């Protein structure tokens, strides 16, 4: 177990392991996505209150969870980078910032496009919505801070510090609905938590879509990490060998 | 042997500044780091004093890795960089008082004496921005007399000083070495110390590394 | 004159750091007075911009005062490490044998004394301008008293992260403002609660807890950030 | 490679100055985005501090947007002369044989292009967030379009006066903020007038006149102030 | 006679720096202003080039008071101060392009040649803050080669340069003088020009004034 973690911490082993793992991830994600989309959009019945609008939930809720979960992951990576100076952790943290930010933006967009038919407005200063916006700002801030430094290592450390400081926002998003009188959620009686009130035809495809989006998130993070590994380790022997091999294969195919 | 660096390596922007750099300096020694502009002298000195963590290799003080004994090491080390570390809106007296306090002591009499020795009598209470480049440098150098550090790390300490100032500082460095201190310094001017000076030349080192 | 070296304990060293902050504020009063002026002028602009109707003004008063206070504090942070970074004093601070944690705490506290505290003391005046109901004054000031030090600490983290960047400009705002929103929400909440006759002790306790958290963790983050910046 | 010296006319020289400003902004792309981020975040603070009630928000919208725009502009000014002063480029500017008046105009205009103009273009989004009534958008943007360059010029005077020494920092508050109040009052007034169905042309004309005045006089003041500062 | 100062007087904070100072410098001459730290060299040079108006006396260029012909004078004068006038976020190329444009010309080839001559090949397009102190100084000095000024006013131009850099700059100054330029400079290091150097010592002047 520890051995495995240790290996994952080395860029080279991470690269090798994900090479084996990637095709599976592609396959599963694709499968879930197709099933979720076809079922959710084609077969699930319209909601008695919101008609077909509710289908946005298939994007909205997973992207919200991923935006938050992605931040948690980024923060863990930042902590690992700060404490144990694990290079791989920093690589993952670096590539997570823009990906997580994208999902956060996706949540905001899907939410506000949902808000128009349900609440009658695109934007409302509701606690959860606001704190999601703040999360987006923090994602942007972390990425911007890193890129503002020229030295890779300084940027990495600075971004780690900011990521850890930004963790305080997470409980706010989670509990904001309790602290604040809020429009979000209360306007809709459709909630995943109370599965009993909704027919399984609605929430099962939601699970499929949830895992599919999570798969996409993982794919994005892993692919970008691999890219980053190659850039950072470009002068090591194994990357050179890898590139040589790719070139050879390309030549043979041509 | 009090201060040693083993197998130091540093690169900046994919250019190796130095590698396999080993040296040690003991009480009473003066070590001059030489090299052309951009050869990495400042970078080396900042690594040694702990301001730059982007290196590999080991730096030890009294046999212990400096990273583990940061505060002790800071107590025994004095660093003078390219920038004077003098707040220009404050007076020399105020600047030096803060310096002393941040090293855990207070001694106004010593501050006045140090300023006097550097030829700044009458300037104790005027804000530093009203001083010439050389005078500001002298305020910065006054800390040398206040610090009770064993190891001095000086990056181009002679900048902006007039001839007399240079001679006096050279005297101070030699005296420090004789009194059992250790000094690592860089300078582009021809040092004239009446004590032995060891030299590390980063240019030739790079040649070897490349 | 004979040299009489007196060893100082940590507290005395911290006092010296505090004293330096106060001196700097005295030497360059602009740094401390600009944020205050901004505070007054921005707040007094609302009657000019939105109309002088008393009911309207008192309804916006808590929010406006808190938001402008937050912005004023952030504005004042700009000067906290800038000159120290540029003249190399920051390097000396990091190389000093005294514990960095407390030195930074002293520095931020000194900064609060000259910018945050006057701002709090100025608040009743602005409450008057905005026709804040009488019941709101105490909660507003207490909230600011507990909130501005937190804002200072958060701002110091942002400043420490960006001071080394050439022309960092307003990156600071992007980093720091999102983090200070909880303080703002609770602070304005205190006044609202008081005006609606609800108990405020709980909300104030939350502000106090946030402050305690910031006091214990922020100096660590500031120190780490400064080490990155001087490199 | 053989040296081929091409003589430039004044316009080309000004373009070079403008280009340098744009380059400086481009070098750290954050600098163009950060004022905007600040603008957005600061505006978003008001609903958080004051309450999210739509009627309340649209009543404070014009004032809030104008105040934050002023603040964003003033904060962005901080970088206008600071680095040039510190590295000595300002001395070289003053010693250059090209007319200082136009060089300064080019500099401030370049600064406005990268900070002020995007801010104006971003305003509709913020109007949306603060539920600004539809009738307010055009007047708000036109007002900002005429007002922000003036704020830039006024801010530049203040910066020029204070860039030399922090001891004169007091001037920035005393001089700049009061000077920019007319712009703010008229700017917010334009939106209010439009929302109340009153004609806005006259108020916009006043803003235009202030801008014309600032354009013709401010560079002189800036130049004089800079000469004092570098001394 | 091209540049002359008559009866110059300057005091700072009630302390007279120099008074009754007269000198003139013609094509082909080098004038070194000497003096201890704080004697007023920088102040004098800034007065001469027009950055400091707090003096009395007269400064003339080609027989005309410089105050009346500011722009013409600026066209013929080059000033290098304590600070490098190099924006650190820009690259050397961008910095020098702006310098050229603000002097009314554009000439990229010359910029590349100047940078090459100062040993900065390969550094044309990296931001200046990534350079060492001496390299930044060299970017600043590259303007010497671009400016087509007759009069150079140089305040401690040798600061931060390594030995080779110093020798090269000395050569350039001597060459300029031989080519009919006029140079006023200060430095604390022992000048070794192979052309005659006239000296003004502010210390002895002050002695006389006091
Ligand atoms: C811009 C607007 C919106 C934003 C930023 C937003 C954000 C969020 C966030 C952060 C979550 C929490 C996910 C989690 O805790 O794991 C969430 C969940 C949810 N949102 Fe939204 N939302 C928005 C608009 C809407 C709208 C208009 C509706 C429906 C009318 C809606 C319905 C839901 C539902 C049903 C959940 C799942 C709740 C749960 O599982 O507890 N949201 N949204
Ligand atoms: N901004 C200022 N305000 C008031 N007095 C000043 C100011 N700058 C310098 N002085 C004073 O003027 C005198 C001359 O300063 P100047 O910078 O001309 O000296 P310098 O000869 O160039 O010295 P150095 O060799 O140190 O560069 C000094 O005594 C200094 O105290
Ligand atoms: N902040 C930085 N980022 C990236 N590279 C840098 C940075 N600072 C310096 N360098 C590079 O590191 C090298 C060494 O710089 P350093 O300042 O150590 O030189 P130095 O020997 O002190 O030179 P000098 O005699 O000019 O002071 C230079 O080639 C420079 O280009
Ligand atoms: Mg150096
Ligand atoms: Mg000088």
């Amino acid at each position: 177990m520890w051995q495995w973690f240790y290996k994952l911490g080395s860029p080279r082993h991470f690269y090798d392991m994900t090479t084996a793992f990637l095709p599976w991830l592609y396959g599963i994600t694709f499968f879930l996505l197709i099933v979720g989309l076809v079922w959710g959009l084609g077969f699930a019945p319209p909601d008695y209150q919101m008609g077909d609008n509710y289908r946005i939930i298939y994007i909205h809720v997973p992207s919200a969870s991923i935006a938050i979960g992605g931040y948690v992951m980024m923060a863990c990576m930042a902590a690992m980078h700060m404490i144990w100076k694990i290079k791989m952790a920093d690589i993952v943290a670096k590539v997570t910032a823009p990906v997580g930010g994208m999902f956060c933006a996706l949540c905001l967009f899907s939410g506000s496009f949902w808000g128009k038919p349900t609440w009658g407005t695109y934007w409302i200063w509701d606690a959860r919505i606001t704190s999601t916006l703040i999360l987006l700002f923090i994602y942007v801030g972390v990425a911007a801070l890193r890129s503002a430094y020229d030295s890779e290592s300084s940027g990495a450390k600075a971004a780690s510090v900011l990521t850890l400081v930004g963790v305080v926002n997470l409980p706010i998003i989670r509990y904001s609905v309790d602290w604040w009188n809020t429009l979000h959620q209360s306007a809709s009686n459709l909630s995943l938590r109370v599965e009993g009130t909704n027919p399984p035809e609605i929430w099962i495809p939601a699970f499929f879509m949830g895992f599919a989006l999570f798969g996409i998130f993982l794919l994005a993070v892993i692919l970008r990490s691999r890219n980053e590994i190659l850039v950072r380790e470009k002068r090591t022997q194994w990357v050179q060998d890898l590139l040589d091999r790719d070139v050879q294969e390309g030549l043979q195919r041509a | 042997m009090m201060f040693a660096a083993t197998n130091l390596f540093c690169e900046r922007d994919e250019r190796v500044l130095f590698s396999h750099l080993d040296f040690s300096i003991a009480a009473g020694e003066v070590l001059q780091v030489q090299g052309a502009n951009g050869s990495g002298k400042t970078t080396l000195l900042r690594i040694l004093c702990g301001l730059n963590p982007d290196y590999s290799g080991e730096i030890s003080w009294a046999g212990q890795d400096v990273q583990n004994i940061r505060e002790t090491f800071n107590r025994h080390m004095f660093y003078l960089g390219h920038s004077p570390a003098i707040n220009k809106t404050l007076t020399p007296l105020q600047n030096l008082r803060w310096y002393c306090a941040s090293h855990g002591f207070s001694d106004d009499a010593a501050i006045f004496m140090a300023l006097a020795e550097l030829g700044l009598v009458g300037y104790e209470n005027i804000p530093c921005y009203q001083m010439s480049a050389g005078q500001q440098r002298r305020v910065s150098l006054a800390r040398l007399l206040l610090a009770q550090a064993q190891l001095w790390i000086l990056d181009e300490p002679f900048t902006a000083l007039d001839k007399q100032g240079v001679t006096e500082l050279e005297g101070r460095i030699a005296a420090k070495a004789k009194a059992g201190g250790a000094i690592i310094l860089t300078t582009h001017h021809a040092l004239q110390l009446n004590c032995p000076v060891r030299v590390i030349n980063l240019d030739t080192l790079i040649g070897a590394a490349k | 004159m004979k040299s009489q070296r007196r060893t100082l304990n940590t507290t005395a060293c911290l006092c010296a750091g505090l004293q330096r902050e106060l001196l700097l504020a005295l030497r360059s009063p602009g740094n401390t007075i600009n944020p205050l002026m901004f505070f007054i002028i921005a707040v007094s602009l609302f009657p000019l911009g939105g109309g002088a109707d008393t009911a309207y003004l008192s309804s916006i008063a808590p929010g406006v005062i808190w938001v402008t206070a937050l912005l004023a504090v952030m504005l004042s942070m700009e000067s906290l490490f800038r000159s120290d970074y540029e003249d190399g004093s920051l390097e000396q601070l990091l190389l000093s044998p005294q514990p960095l944690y407390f030195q930074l705490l002293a520095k931020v506290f000194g900064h609060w004394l000259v910018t945050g505290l006057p701002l709090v003391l100025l608040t009743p005046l602005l409450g008057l301008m905005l026709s804040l109901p009488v019941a709101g004054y105490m909660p507003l000031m207490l909230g600011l008293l507990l909130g501005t030090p937190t804002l200072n600490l958060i701002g110091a983290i942002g400043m420490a992260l960006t001071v080394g960047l050439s022309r960092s400009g307003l990156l600071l705002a992007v980093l720091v403002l999102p983090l200070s929103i909880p303080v703002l929400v609770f602070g304005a909440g205190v006044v609202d609660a008081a005006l609606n006759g609800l108990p405020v002790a709980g909300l104030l306790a939350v502000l106090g807890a946030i402050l305690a958290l910031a006091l214990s963790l922020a100096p660590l983050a500031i120190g780490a950030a400064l080490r990155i910046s001087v490199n």
Side-chain angles (χ1 to χ4, degrees), chain A, chain B, chain C:
Chain A
M1 182 69 189
W2 276 116
Q3 192 69 32
W4 191 77
F5 265 118
Y6 180 78
K7 278 193 166 176
L8 214 54
S10 123
R12 179 176 181 178
H13 283 100
F14 182 94
Y15 194 93
D16 290 344
M17 277 160 137
T18 49
T19 310
F21 175 60
L22 263 181
W24 292 94
L25 190 57
Y26 271 121
I28 295 172
T29 306
F30 197 63
F31 170 74
L32 289 171
L33 194 63
I34 295 292
V35 173
L37 277 180
V38 172
W39 193 345
L41 297 185
F43 296 101
D47 186 64
Y48 68 94
Q49 249 189 350
M50 294 188 284
D52 282 333
N53 287 326
Y54 82 90
R55 292 182 207 280
I56 293 180
I57 201 175
Y58 296 140
I59 299 287
H60 176 71
V61 179
S63 58
S65 312
I66 291 171
I68 296 172
Y71 195 90
V72 173
M73 184 177 105
M74 192 166 84
C76 292
M77 293 301 154
M80 278 159 73
H81 172 64
M82 287 294 278
I83 299 169
W84 295 299
K85 306 199 162 56
I86 301 176
K87 272 192 209 151
M88 198 54 229
D90 179 53
I91 292 178
V92 175
K94 175 178 179 177
V95 302
T96 307
V99 178
M102 293 299 265
F103 275 92
C104 201
L106 186 64
C107 169
L108 280 166
F109 275 114
S110 61
S112 53
F113 277 110
W114 201 0
K116 189 65 183 172
T118 45
W119 302 335
T121 170
Y122 286 112
W123 190 261
I124 196 100
W125 287 102
D126 154 274
R128 176 166 273 185
I129 297 177
T130 310
S131 42
T132 310
L133 183 66
I134 295 169
L135 183 64
L136 178 65
F137 285 153
I138 296 182
Y139 268 124
V140 172
V142 168
L145 184 66
R146 184 188 288 270
S147 66
Y149 279 87
D150 305 282
S151 145
E152 182 85 49
S153 68
S154 300
K157 282 182 218 152
S160 301
V161 171
L162 184 64
T163 307
L164 291 177
V165 172
V167 170
V168 295
N169 192 43
L170 296 182
I172 298 175
I173 297 181
R174 261 263 166 261
Y175 302 112
S176 53
V177 198
D178 309 330
W179 289 342
W180 224 333
N181 186 20
T182 172
L183 192 60
H184 188 270
Q185 242 183 339
S186 60
S188 150
N189 62 358
L190 185 143
S191 170
L192 289 179
R193 297 282 143 64
V194 277
E195 282 133 22
T197 62
N198 285 300
E201 297 83 60
I202 287 187
W203 60 261
I204 291 182
F207 270 115
F208 275 94
M209 281 304 288
F211 285 112
L213 282 186
F214 186 65
I216 293 176
F217 171 77
L218 273 186
L219 271 178
V221 168
I222 291 177
L223 289 176
R224 289 176 58 101
S225 298
R226 286 162 61 88
N227 206 30
E228 184 71 21
I229 289 172
L230 291 188
V231 172
R232 288 200 193 179
E233 309 256 301
K234 60 176 173 280
R235 271 174 301 154
T236 59
Q237 193 55 45
W238 72 272
V239 175
Q240 295 293 339
D241 293 348
L242 202 74
L243 293 180
D244 288 347
R245 212 185 54 210
D246 280 6
V247 170
Q248 298 283 314
E249 280 173 8
L251 285 179
Q252 274 169 13
R253 239 178 275 138
Chain B
M1 187 190 306
M2 48 197 277
F3 188 62
T6 328
N7 202 14
L8 275 195
F9 167 87
C10 173
E11 66 175 356
R12 280 199 118 142
D13 298 321
E14 328 229 316
R15 200 165 71 82
V16 176
L17 292 181
F18 41 81
S19 65
H20 306 297
L21 181 61
D22 295 283
F23 66 86
S24 69
I25 178 168
E29 291 190 328
V30 178
L31 179 70
Q32 184 184 2
V33 181
Q34 283 184 344
N37 286 144
S39 56
K41 303 180 293 302
T42 298
T43 310
L44 174 60
L45 261 48
R46 290 176 72 91
I47 286 174
L48 292 181
C49 75
L51 286 172
N52 187 341
D54 295 338
Y55 66 94
S56 65
E58 204 176 288
I59 302 169
S60 66
W61 168 259
Q64 287 178 283
D65 192 324
V66 284
Q67 298 195 334
N68 307 330
I69 51 159
R70 209 29 91 207
E71 283 193 9
T72 324
F73 179 60
N74 284 350
R75 195 164 292 123
H76 294 296
M77 187 268 301
F78 176 88
Y79 171 69
L80 181 85
H82 276 298
S83 39
I86 291 296
N87 186 301
K88 290 197 180 180
T89 57
L90 297 183
T91 65
L93 192 58
Q94 290 164 342
N95 268 303
L96 295 176
R97 270 199 194 129
W98 177 67
Y99 176 79
C100 291
S102 76
H103 282 72
F105 64 92
S106 117
D107 190 348
D108 272 14
I111 294 179
F112 277 103
M113 268 156 48
L115 286 174
E117 213 175 301
L118 281 149
L120 291 175
V121 176
Y123 287 91
E124 293 92 351
N125 284 311
I126 74 164
C128 290
Y129 63 80
Q130 288 191 8
M131 297 186 172
S132 77
Q135 288 169 327
Q136 287 179 17
R137 192 80 196 170
R138 282 159 185 259
V139 177
S140 190
L141 286 169
R143 285 176 300 158
L144 268 182
L145 306 181
L146 294 170
Q148 291 187 322
Q150 285 166 269
L151 175 66
W152 287 0
I153 300 185
L154 314 176
D155 198 358
E156 306 204 18
F158 302 102
T159 306
L161 291 185
D162 58 18
K163 286 207 186 79
Q164 197 201 340
V166 170
T167 318
E168 284 172 7
L169 182 54
E170 283 174 341
R172 241 165 255 138
I173 290 174
K176 179 77 186 176
K178 282 192 186 120
I183 297 112
I184 304 179
L185 74 138
T186 72
T187 180
H188 292 299
H189 109 130
L191 261 191
Q192 292 182 318
L193 299 183
N194 51 6
C195 69
V197 176
R198 265 183 30 229
V199 168
I200 296 182
N201 193 317
L202 293 183
D203 295 336
T204 51
L205 258 183
I206 289 185
K210 265 180 186 160
Chain C
M1 215 157 31
K2 239 194 72 66
S3 164
Q4 289 162 318
R5 183 169 292 236
R6 205 154 49 77
T7 311
L8 299 177
N9 57 17
T10 311
T11 325
C13 298
L14 296 186
C15 283
L18 200 68
Q19 197 188 344
R20 179 168 182 268
E21 276 308 296
L22 302 182
L23 263 175
L24 280 174
L26 217 74
R27 284 274 165 182
S28 32
N31 285 341
T32 51
I33 291 185
N34 283 340
L36 288 181
M37 286 292 281
F38 166 77
F39 188 45
I40 301 178
I41 290 177
V43 168
S44 50
L45 201 100
F46 281 89
L48 296 177
D53 169 33
T54 313
Y56 161 76
L57 283 183
S58 57
S59 79
I60 64 167
V64 163
I65 292 183
W66 257 98
V67 173
T68 27
L70 167 61
L71 295 176
V73 168
M74 289 310 153
L75 191 64
S76 78
M77 297 315 289
E78 179 61 24
S79 60
L80 183 61
F81 296 120
R82 171 82 48 215
S83 74
D84 285 344
Y85 173 76
E86 269 154 15
D87 67 23
S89 300
L90 208 51
E91 294 171 356
Q92 292 298 335
L93 189 78
L94 293 180
L95 292 180
S96 113
Q98 301 296 318
L100 188 62
Y101 183 97
F102 292 108
Q103 293 207 64
L104 292 174
L105 217 49
K107 197 167 170 61
V108 177
F109 180 65
H111 193 80
W112 178 78
L113 271 188
V114 291
T115 60
L117 189 58
L119 192 143
V120 177
L121 297 178
L122 214 70
T123 313
L125 186 66
L126 299 184
L128 211 69
M129 281 165 107
L130 292 186
S131 327
L132 185 74
V134 185
Y137 283 87
M138 264 329 269
L140 181 60
M141 287 186 69
L142 280 178
L144 282 171
L145 207 58
L146 287 170
T148 44
T150 314
L151 296 180
N152 266 289
L153 286 164
I154 297 174
I157 300 178
M159 204 46 220
L161 280 170
T162 55
V163 69
L165 301 172
S166 40
R167 291 190 69 177
S168 65
L170 297 170
L171 183 57
L172 179 64
V174 182
L175 303 184
V176 161
L177 288 185
L179 295 176
S180 29
I181 284 175
V183 180
L184 175 74
V185 170
F186 284 107
V190 170
V191 192
D192 272 342
L195 293 185
N196 295 325
L198 302 174
V200 296
L203 288 169
L204 284 176
V206 174
L207 279 180
I210 299 181
L211 175 57
L213 192 76
L215 275 177
S216 52
L217 294 184
L220 297 176
I222 300 170
L226 287 180
R227 285 200 189 283
I228 300 163
S229 284
V230 296
N231 179 14

